[in-house]
Amino acid sequence: MSSDKRMSSDTLEEIIALEGYIDGRRLNLAIASQMGIPQVDLKVQALDPSVAKQIPESIARRYTVFPIAVKDKNITIAVHDPRDIRAVDDVRLATGKRVSVVLSDQADILNLINRFYDHSEEATQAVDEYTADLDQDVKEFGESEDISASPVVRLVNTIITQASKMEASDIHMEPFENDVRIRYRIDGELREIMRVNKVMFNSMAIRIKVIGGMDISERRKPQDGRVETSVDGKPYDLRLSILPTVFGEKIVLRLLDRSSTLMTKEELGFSKTNIERFNQIISVPEGIILLTGPTGSGKTTTLYAVLAELNAISKNIITVEDPVEYRLDGVNQVQVNNLAGLTFTTGLRSILRQDPDIVMVGEIRDTETAQIAFRAAITGHVVLSTLHTNDTVSSLTRLIDMEVPAYLVSTAVVGIVAQRLVKRLCRYCRRSGKTTEAEMELLGITEPAVIYHAVGCNECGQTGYRGRTAIHEVLVMNRQIRDLIAKNTPIDEVKDAAVADGMHTLHQSCAELVLEGRTTLEQLLRVTQTEDE
């Protein structure tokens, strides 16, 4: 043992940890046990959100502590270092209460700090500063020398930063008669985060227009913009949309994390059966492959996974997208620009003169695009695209409604994948139970089984769910299905033929996840309702 290490350590415990005989977490557990400090698992500990406000966020972050209970003149805090006397003293001074300590995992404490403290202190301070200086010219926010110091800029930055930390996909800023509601879309659902003074919102809208390259003087027309930025070191593309409403301009910001890696088919949630059928589809040398589902169902993510797998030095792959959400090395990606006349249709026409092997069209929106895509598919190209329909077979009627001849649909389409996103159960708080007869009928089983239900804990924000996974319905075109389509057979008969050929419906795919304990019957019912529509 070196003398300089002894000199720098005041206690035997620190020397033991420094020499590597024990890691810091185990050392803290041993010390807490010696001191009689109880341990608490914050993943399952019930917490009142209002308790977090007992300690200023600055103190919670400085010492990595979190309040878990308050009773009369006593407060209990979770700490990761039982020897940190300064943390206890500062909490006592800040709250005026007697402090009790429990030991918890440092990562769990940090997670709670990020979840429960929504930068409200900074947001409130920004609003107060703005209110005290209403005479400030809001047009200067785009030109100020110290722009980061302005309250409006700090509030907008705070909203975006918190959305990033909460893994939100969208930010909604909605003006009403008396105030403005700020909501985040997390795991597919909108959650209200805060309310903002309406007087301040006009300046916030100007700031967002400035960073998005939009016209700050225009308030009567919808506008779109984009900006590349970074949040806590992570690069993001922000897609900005402004829509005039009765009470002001509604603003939606979509957050696209450019640091996120592409997912494989296995990571996308394909079951063993569906992945075999999907591989059969994407191995074809020519034809059109469609992904279908509502907005926000993960269609584009699946398309990128396919492109990444097909990407090879021997293939000329060109895409036309709106927007380009991921950048793929070796793939020629074209961004739609409607103002410049570069639409899906014009872009697709130009792509076909570029000697492509594989073409990806972000979305088939109109008859002209559909017809060009199908002509490309029957002339030796692989075409990937998306449609907005409920399931696989309804995509066939949608194409025919878009004036693509039935014989061309039956000839060119090699496969269709319908996709939905369902919430994943939180693995920390899910509760098991035996199926009832009604539940067995929903799941299509004849023997009782164990399934899981959502409960809610601190790890999942009391929702019972954490993250999402995809379910799929994979239609592989065979001779029988092609003949039925060419004869304009009713769509129900086409679906029956597809199921007989081995296609698992969205309902069946979700039922499999329920039986595996990965999602709930509530999510299954949501998918079933969508199918029934």
Side-chain angles (χ1 to χ4, degrees), residues 165-213:
K165 288 184 175 181
M166 296 180 71
E167 300 179 359
S169 60
D170 301 88
I171 303 170
H172 289 244
M173 303 181 182
E174 304 161 309
F176 295 102
E177 186 173 5
N178 299 316
D179 57 13
V180 178
R181 180 174 64 184
I182 310 295
R183 295 192 291 173
Y184 296 162
R185 186 175 295 280
I186 302 171
D187 288 342
E189 288 191 353
L190 286 169
R191 303 182 193 175
E192 182 173 327
I193 303 301
M194 67 176 77
R195 296 265 177 166
V196 175
N197 188 308
K198 194 169 182 182
V199 176
M200 190 176 192
F201 183 65
N202 291 330
S203 301
M204 292 172 63
I206 289 176
R207 171 59 184 162
I208 290 170
K209 289 179 182 179
V210 168
I211 64 175

Side-chain angles (χ1 to χ4, degrees), residues 283-513:
S283 63
V284 298
E286 61 184 55
I288 190 162
I289 302 168
L290 295 172
L291 270 87
T292 182
T295 301
S297 60
K299 300 185 298 294
T300 303
T301 303
T302 303
L303 276 181
Y304 278 118
V306 175
L307 285 178
E309 185 167 324
L310 297 177
N311 191 10
I313 196 68
S314 60
K315 301 291 184 182
N316 179 19
I317 304 177
I318 309 178
T319 75
V320 54
E321 309 169 58
D322 184 23
V324 176
E325 295 188 15
Y326 296 90
R327 289 170 173 81
L328 296 174
D329 186 39
V331 175
N332 304 281
Q333 296 173 271
V334 178
Q335 169 73 52
V336 165
N337 187 338
N338 290 313
L339 292 177
L342 178 54
T343 63
F344 281 120
T345 303
T346 57
L348 184 53
R349 280 205 187 96
S350 298
I351 285 173
L352 294 179
R353 294 191 288 269
Q354 289 281 319
D355 185 31
D357 296 294
I358 300 170
V359 177
M360 194 267 269
V361 185
E363 182 184 347
I364 294 179
R365 295 179 178 175
D366 52 52
T367 298
E368 191 174 5
T369 305
Q371 292 176 343
I372 297 172
F374 272 79
R375 282 200 295 272
I378 62 174
T379 54
H381 304 90
V382 174
V383 179
L384 305 168
S385 192
T386 67
L387 276 177
H388 286 95
T389 54
N390 282 341
D391 56 17
T392 53
V393 292
S394 61
S395 300
L396 301 169
T397 55
R398 171 70 176 138
L399 291 169
I400 294 172
D401 289 342
M402 295 173 76
E403 301 180 17
V404 179
Y407 77 87
L408 193 56
V409 173
S410 67
T411 303
V413 175
V414 296
I416 305 174
V417 179
Q419 181 166 313
R420 294 285 191 283
L421 293 178
V422 295
K423 294 181 183 179
R424 279 200 307 256
L425 270 167
C426 174
R427 60 191 179 92
Y428 294 104
C429 63
R430 64 180 187 172
R431 186 182 69 245
S432 63
K434 280 288 186 70
T435 51
T436 64
E437 289 188 9
E439 291 170 341
M440 289 166 58
E441 184 177 353
L442 275 173
L443 293 169
I445 58 177
T446 56
E447 296 292 334
V450 175
I451 60 174
Y452 290 84
H453 304 276
V455 178
C457 65
N458 303 320
E459 188 69 18
C460 61
Q462 307 300 326
T463 64
Y465 300 95
R466 185 73 186 273
R468 291 186 291 175
T469 189
I471 57 172
H472 303 90
E473 179 179 289
V474 184
L475 170 65
V476 180
M477 297 290 280
N478 59 24
R479 180 175 297 180
Q480 180 189 7
I481 295 174
R482 293 184 192 280
D483 290 343
L484 291 173
I485 296 168
K487 295 175 182 176
N488 284 315
T489 305
I491 206 66
D492 288 341
E493 293 185 31
V494 177
K495 185 169 186 176
D496 290 341
V499 171
D501 186 51
M503 182 183 80
H504 287 192
T505 65
L506 290 169
H507 182 103
Q508 290 171 319
S509 295
C510 192
E512 290 177 14
L513 294 187

Side-chain angles (χ1 to χ4, degrees), residues 109-175:
I109 298 174
L110 286 171
N111 184 39
L112 286 181
I113 290 172
N114 289 331
R115 286 180 178 277
F116 281 83
Y117 290 105
D118 56 3
H119 294 269
S120 56
E121 292 180 20
E122 187 175 349
T124 302
Q125 184 180 1
V127 173
D128 291 342
E129 290 177 10
Y130 181 84
T131 305
D133 192 16
L134 285 176
D135 295 331
Q136 185 174 355
D137 185 0
V138 295
K139 292 183 180 180
E140 293 179 0
F141 288 129
E143 306 165 359
S144 171
E145 292 182 4
D146 188 15
I147 191 170
S148 62
S150 74
V152 168
V153 171
R154 285 194 290 109
L155 180 57
V156 171
N157 290 345
T158 295
I159 291 171
I160 295 173
T161 299
Q162 184 64 14
S164 168
K165 288 184 175 181
M166 296 180 71
E167 300 179 359
S169 60
D170 301 88
I171 303 170
H172 289 244
M173 303 181 182
E174 304 161 309

